[in-house]
Amino acid sequence: QVQFVESGGGLVQPGGSLTLVCAVSGRILSIGVIGWYRQAPGKQRELVGSFINGGSASYTDSVKGRFTISRDIAKNTLYLRMDSLKPEDTAVYYCNRAGGRLPDYWGQGTQVTVSS
């Protein structure tokens, strides 16, 4: 069973940057679409961006131009670079399969807090 382990979160000031890391236990190439999700307190989990095996990425409107997803095939690792962070980006961030129905199983996620 493929597992996803998130890391790299922390406290950052508005306008700052962070890079999150998702370690995939299996072969990342075996996943057709992989993405980053986030969930803020009292909010539904939402997909913020996804990376398709062929090499293209897509993002939700609220993060376009600020977030960038990349992949290291040799390390079976997915990254999320977040720039120009805003307080509304505060959430627990997860990586998982994307492109279809919402996954059934989730990792621990990593907390991102944007505050002065």
Side-chain angles (χ1 to χ4, degrees):
Q1 179 66 44
V2 174
Q3 293 180 305
F4 305 87
V5 181
E6 305 90 346
S7 63
L11 175 64
V12 63
Q13 295 184 21
S17 299
L18 276 178
T19 298
L20 306 184
V21 181
C22 173
V24 181
S25 65
R27 295 174 299 163
I28 199 167
L29 284 177
S30 71
I31 304 171
V33 184
I34 188 169
W36 285 96
Y37 301 77
R38 67 185 180 188
Q39 186 170 25
K43 301 287 188 178
Q44 298 295 112
R45 183 180 280 114
E46 67 169 339
L47 179 67
V48 300
S50 60
F51 192 95
I52 301 172
N53 214 348
S56 63
S58 62
Y59 307 90
T60 192
D61 286 344
S62 63
V63 308
K64 283 181 180 177
R66 301 189 298 118
F67 289 14
T68 304
I69 298 173
S70 60
R71 178 182 66 183
D72 188 324
I73 295 173
K75 295 181 179 179
N76 289 316
T77 302
L78 191 77
Y79 302 91
L80 178 65
R81 188 184 72 200
M82 305 182 294
D83 298 314
S84 302
L85 283 162
K86 305 174 180 179
E88 52 262 44
D89 295 318
T90 296
V92 178
Y93 284 72
Y94 304 85
C95 57
N96 215 319
R97 299 178 185 272
R101 71 182 185 92
L102 201 66
D104 294 320
Y105 304 103
W106 301 85
Q108 295 296 311
T110 186
Q111 176 73 49
V112 173
T113 303
V114 185
S115 176
S116 298

